[in-house]
Amino acid sequence: MTSFEYDVAIVGAGTAGCYAASTISKAGYDVVIVERKDAEEAGHIACGDALKGADEFPKAIPKSEIADAFTNTAVDHGRFEIPQEDAVLDIPVPGELAVIDRWEFGRQLIGSAERAGVDFHYDTVVQRVTQDDDGRVTGFEAKRADERRSYKATVTLDGAGALSILQDTIDFDGTTFDTNVRYSQFSSAYREIIEVEEPVEWDDALVVKPTKRSAGYLWYFPRTPTEINVGLGFQMNEEPMQLVSDLREDISQRPELRGATVKDKLGAALPTRRPYDSATAPGYMAIGDAAAHVNPISGGGIGGAAYAGQYAGEQAIQALEKEDASEETLWRYNERVMDHYGGRYAALDVYNVFATAYDLDDLLSLLAALPGEQLSNALYSGSSSVGLGLKLKVLYETVGHWGTLKKLYDTKGLADRLLAHYETYPSSPDGFDAWQAERNSIMDEIYAATGAETKY
């Protein structure tokens, strides 16, 4: 067996892994990223390609080093198509927005991390995580072709993506790490990059529409006026959809996409759940999709992954400086995630729970009558306020759906309570059990109010 030893070992050359590695390497520590794909395929990830807020991303990888992957910076709003109501809802998107070439973006992330001094080991598949007698993660064993490899590190970062296999091999007993994870809390998605001859009219918008069942959604995101990222996903708690055939059927019904040629195909799983309550264990942190750091409504995960990488990287540095990789030392990583976006994502997931309990046509009729600006605020902040005049207008527009509207209003109040509770996330593992118990109590009220089945 070939042995390697690093200060920090990271699994996965995605967004979170590259930001974490660059952060740590620039502080003078030895870092390796172990990636199962080869050097050409690394960074080739199934994604909607929409990117929000890159101007404010962590400085470990400057925007100037990834800017060439930005293919459409003219997009400025969402376009929600509701065929059942013959309606189109324009939803403004606050802040910087762009569509990217995700493969090129991934290559540029890797290139920036390499320039920061990070080592990359490609074609290397992790097989099991190693732990010492006290349960601290000490690294992992992997295989590259016929060569068995051992990696030892003070801190191991898991950036291996949704439903990370690493978590199946770790004994989390005695830690706070969130093991309340099931397939039903995730979505399966498939996307194609297609090329059309004539520019589409909606090249300044992110187009989204529902499928025939509430478990599914379709997207059309223009990389350029003639190159479109098209995709479909479904929640795994529902009956599977025929992703490829359903997507092809919808494309065939859009006149502007007739004759399109397919340039790339890829599928993936993604979290549509709240972030992990805790993503730490002694010597170990999960980052990005591996800890569900994804907006559960939009599916956007690049921003959350970038910041998770920064926060985990900075906490790994603290552990190295203190020569202490205990959960107490790594805990600040959890705090920063929850403070930045974890609470907001948890509140947004309440609306996913709400949607599972209601008829699709009723929900779409209600959605068509709601104001786009308030929907935008709710989508990106987890909450929104509505003035009296707007409330009266909504009541007028939603005649026939007042029962569902009342349930949605009650659910919003509970989502706001949940968001406020996340603002009290504990500053050490000592307060975690009490915080979690109160959160679970709020979730019980949400299930009772919505009539939805328990998700967690």
Side-chain angles (χ1 to χ4, degrees), residues 22 46 51 68 87 167 238 250 267 316 407 423:
S22 294
L51 179 59
D68 287 347
Q167 293 164 27
E238 298 286 346
D250 200 79
K407 290 285 188 181
E423 293 173 358

Side-chain angles (χ1 to χ4, degrees), residues 14-353:
T15 302
C18 286
Y19 273 93
S22 294
T23 299
I24 298 162
S25 185
K26 287 182 176 181
Y29 293 99
D30 294 328
V31 190
V32 64
I33 291 181
V34 173
E35 168 59 46
R36 64 180 177 84
K37 297 177 181 177
D38 63 26
E40 176 66 18
E41 277 289 310
H44 190 199
I45 295 171
C47 179
D49 290 351
L51 179 59
K52 185 178 182 298
D55 276 345
E56 300 176 356
F57 275 15
K59 304 305 181 187
I61 297 180
K63 185 183 175 184
S64 60
E65 297 191 15
I66 56 176
D68 287 347
F70 287 56
T71 58
N72 184 357
T73 58
V75 288
D76 60 5
H77 68 286
R79 176 184 168 93
F80 191 82
E81 298 179 351
I82 310 177
Q84 293 91 327
E85 294 293 312
D86 192 24
V88 175
L89 185 63
D90 282 326
I91 302 175
V93 177
E96 187 211 24
L97 184 64
V99 181
I100 62 173
D101 179 330
R102 182 61 182 83
W103 197 351
E104 183 60 28
F105 179 76
R107 288 169 173 164
Q108 292 181 8
L109 289 177
I110 290 169
S112 182
E114 286 177 333
R115 289 188 292 275
V118 178
D119 289 344
F120 282 81
H121 291 186
Y122 297 105
D123 297 305
T124 304
V125 179
V126 173
Q127 296 185 310
R128 76 177 190 93
V129 175
T130 57
Q131 296 174 264
D132 65 16
D133 292 340
D134 295 324
R136 183 179 73 84
V137 172
T138 57
F140 47 85
E141 293 179 358
K143 194 170 184 181
R144 185 179 188 276
D146 293 329
E147 178 190 20
R148 294 177 60 213
R149 294 183 165 194
S150 172
Y151 291 84
K152 293 189 179 299
T154 301
V155 178
T156 298
L157 300 184
D158 178 0
L163 297 164
S164 166
I165 193 172
L166 276 69
Q167 293 164 27
D168 294 335
T169 75
I170 299 176
D171 181 359
F172 287 117
D173 285 350
T175 78
T176 64
F177 192 87
D178 194 342
T179 57
N180 184 12
V181 180
R182 300 191 295 273
Y183 280 94
S184 60
Q185 302 160 358
F186 291 73
S187 288
S188 181
Y190 168 79
R191 73 99 177 99
E192 296 178 349
I193 306 300
I194 64 173
E195 183 81 34
V196 294
E197 293 183 2
E198 299 294 328
V200 296
E201 294 181 354
W202 34 265
D203 62 304
D204 62 344
L206 303 178
V207 179
V208 181
K209 63 179 292 188
T211 56
K212 298 171 185 177
R213 292 190 281 119
S214 60
Y217 58 96
L218 291 129
W219 71 81
Y220 295 87
F221 294 172
R223 282 186 174 181
T224 72
T226 58
E227 186 179 88
I228 319 297
N229 180 313
V230 302
L232 183 153
F234 76 93
Q235 188 76 22
M236 290 187 189
N237 66 329
E238 298 286 346
E239 287 296 317
M241 300 179 69
Q242 300 300 314
L243 294 180
V244 178
S245 59
D246 286 2
L247 179 61
R248 300 310 307 172
E249 178 185 355
D250 200 79
I251 291 173
S252 70
Q253 295 173 359
R254 301 185 75 100
E256 72 272 32
L257 302 182
R258 284 178 186 157
T261 57
V262 179
K263 300 174 63 178
D264 189 49
K265 304 176 182 180
L266 210 58
L270 70 152
T272 39
R273 53 153 290 156
R274 67 191 180 209
Y276 287 11
D277 289 355
S278 168
T280 63
Y284 170 89
M285 290 177 277
I287 55 179
D289 282 16
H293 293 154
V294 174
N295 183 317
I297 298 292
S298 71
I302 295 176
Y307 283 105
Q310 176 196 348
Y311 299 154
E314 291 174 350
Q315 215 54 42
I317 292 168
Q318 288 287 316
L320 291 166
E321 291 177 348
K322 293 175 62 176
E323 298 184 352
D324 176 11
S326 66
E327 195 164 19
E328 289 77 7
T329 297
L330 301 180
W331 187 260
R332 176 65 179 152
Y333 162 65
N334 283 332
E335 270 193 282
R336 296 180 73 184
V337 166
M338 292 305 184
D339 179 63
H340 187 166
Y341 55 80
R344 176 163 53 96
Y345 287 0
L348 286 171
D349 187 50
V350 171
Y351 298 101
N352 281 341
V353 172

